[in-house]
Amino acid sequence: MKRQGMLNSHISKVLSDLGHTDLIVIADAGLPIPSDVPRIDLALTLGVPSFAEVVEAVSDDMVVEKVVLASEIQENNENTLQFMKKTFSDTEIEFLSHEEFKEKTKVAKVVIRTGEVTPYANCILQAGVIF
């Protein structure tokens, strides 16, 4: 058994397979997931696991060169926005309309669904490289 790092085998496999500029989505419980994009469903109950917990666990194991958020988060979910700015303080953050955000999820390698139930608690993480 692994001593540290990502224990979820499905997420660990996705992270290992990522190439430069590949995208993954971490989603709240309500984000529509395109039918042809693989889903890793972690949602257990309302709020469990939280968006923040999953973002922290994934970003601990992933080189992230860019984060994409829905622009609506700025007006509708200040707490999550501040968490993302703090977590990715040295990373480019791009804002798209929620509709554009949902379109961009169609090219993601995976959508990881959390139990989060606050508005616009979704992000797209673009993979970077370690060199």
Side-chain angles (χ1 to χ4, degrees):
M1 178 174 202
K2 287 179 75 170
R3 191 177 292 267
Q4 60 187 349
M6 182 56 63
L7 293 178
N8 182 289
S9 63
H10 302 291
I11 297 173
S12 185
K13 171 81 168 109
V14 167
L15 296 178
S16 295
D17 289 344
L18 288 176
H20 187 215
T21 73
D22 283 344
L23 306 176
I24 68 166
V25 177
I26 301 177
D28 62 24
L31 185 74
I33 299 172
S35 58
D36 56 339
V37 175
R39 167 196 313 232
I40 299 173
D41 196 340
L42 302 179
L44 297 173
T45 58
L46 295 179
V48 179
S50 73
F51 174 77
E53 290 170 319
V54 176
V55 168
E56 287 174 340
V58 170
S59 64
D60 281 350
D61 247 11
M62 179 183 176
V63 177
V64 177
E65 72 176 12
K66 184 164 103 174
V67 176
V68 180
L69 303 172
S71 56
E72 290 86 346
I73 196 172
Q74 296 170 93
E75 304 248 339
N76 297 288
N77 195 338
E78 181 66 26
N79 290 339
T80 300
L81 176 60
Q82 291 311 313
F83 163 76
M84 293 301 287
K85 286 181 174 182
K86 181 180 176 188
T87 302
F88 297 102
S89 61
D90 295 330
T91 306
E92 176 188 354
I93 298 179
E94 176 184 358
F95 294 93
L96 301 175
S97 73
H98 191 55
E99 290 306 313
E100 292 170 313
F101 182 96
K102 290 188 289 187
E103 278 300 308
K104 196 167 184 100
T105 67
K106 293 178 180 179
V107 297
K109 296 291 183 184
V110 70
V111 174
I112 302 170
R113 182 174 175 255
T114 71
E116 188 66 48
V117 290
T118 61
Y120 304 103
N122 306 291
C123 68
I124 299 172
L125 304 178
Q126 181 173 303
V129 292
I130 59 173
F131 55 90

